[in-house]
Amino acid sequence: MKITNFKDMYIAELQELVSMEGQLTDELSRMAAAASHPEETQVQRQRLESILQKHGANPRAHTDQTMQALVNETEMMLGMLKGNDLRDAGLIASAQKLEHYEIAAYGTVAALAGQLDLRDDQQMLHESLEEEKQADVRLTKLAKGEVNPDALAA
Ligand SMILES: [Fe+2]
């Protein structure tokens, strides 16, 4: 498919992002409860689906390969880590990489929505962006305050 205008590029980016959130829902449900907020991911996915629906675009049109690769790397890494403390530290490290990818993606689509003057979209995407940033802050606190020191001492 050839994309020839800005709006369609925006839609394609949204389709990529909704695929990312979908894959994360699956992955996070398998991750430790401490590091994940699956309900938040669910809400973010619904926001994206409602935006795509409004624009008459298929939310299943795309599979994000980068997220697929990140999830595979996470599973490989966790498979290598021995002991709960090390696994917890590795889990947070991986979760933060996924989180940063999401932050980049939401920042991008929110900017595109702004350029298109789609203020409702932009608002919703900003909400998700802020949640992702907060999740990252939570993970940093958890890692630095507790999980990494424990793993280091183990
Ligand atoms: Fe998310």
Side-chain angles (χ1 to χ4, degrees):
M1 182 185 84
K2 283 260 181 287
I3 293 173
T4 56
N5 66 70
F6 200 92
K7 170 87 184 283
D8 288 346
M9 177 175 75
Y10 167 64
I11 296 295
E13 293 283 354
L14 285 171
Q15 285 167 328
E16 213 171 286
L17 189 44
V18 79
S19 158
M20 285 167 57
E21 291 286 9
Q23 293 180 58
L24 263 185
T25 309
D26 297 342
E27 178 65 9
L28 289 180
S29 61
R30 277 182 273 133
M31 282 185 168
S36 66
H37 283 229
E39 329 72 40
E40 213 164 61
T41 296
Q42 198 65 6
V43 170
Q44 290 163 354
R45 185 185 187 175
Q46 279 158 10
R47 281 190 195 120
L48 291 166
E49 283 177 351
S50 82
I51 291 172
L52 282 166
Q53 208 162 29
K54 189 178 70 182
H55 295 297
N58 178 6
R60 309 263 169 273
H62 192 87
T63 300
D64 187 70
Q65 310 265 330
T66 304
M67 186 54 88
Q68 219 159 43
L70 287 171
V71 166
N72 288 342
E73 287 297 323
T74 298
E75 283 176 0
M76 197 186 70
M77 178 61 86
L78 291 178
M80 293 193 303
L81 299 176
K82 279 229 185 293
N84 285 341
D85 289 328
L86 215 48
R87 277 179 64 86
D88 285 350
L91 187 61
I92 294 187
S94 294
Q96 284 197 283
K97 285 193 274 184
L98 305 186
E99 205 57 71
H100 289 190
Y101 181 43
E102 285 200 288
I103 289 168
Y106 275 110
T108 299
V109 288
L112 296 179
Q115 195 66 50
L116 286 161
D117 243 332
L118 298 168
R119 296 299 161 199
D120 291 349
D121 290 14
Q122 191 186 22
Q123 164 76 29
M124 284 165 85
L125 295 167
H126 259 289
E127 248 171 87
S128 294
L129 177 62
E130 283 312 308
E131 287 167 7
E132 303 291 7
K133 286 181 179 172
Q134 287 308 311
D136 188 49
V137 168
R138 282 198 304 271
L139 289 167
T140 298
K141 272 193 190 147
L142 201 59
K144 285 191 173 172
E146 196 181 323
V147 175
N148 288 350
D150 286 355
L152 189 62

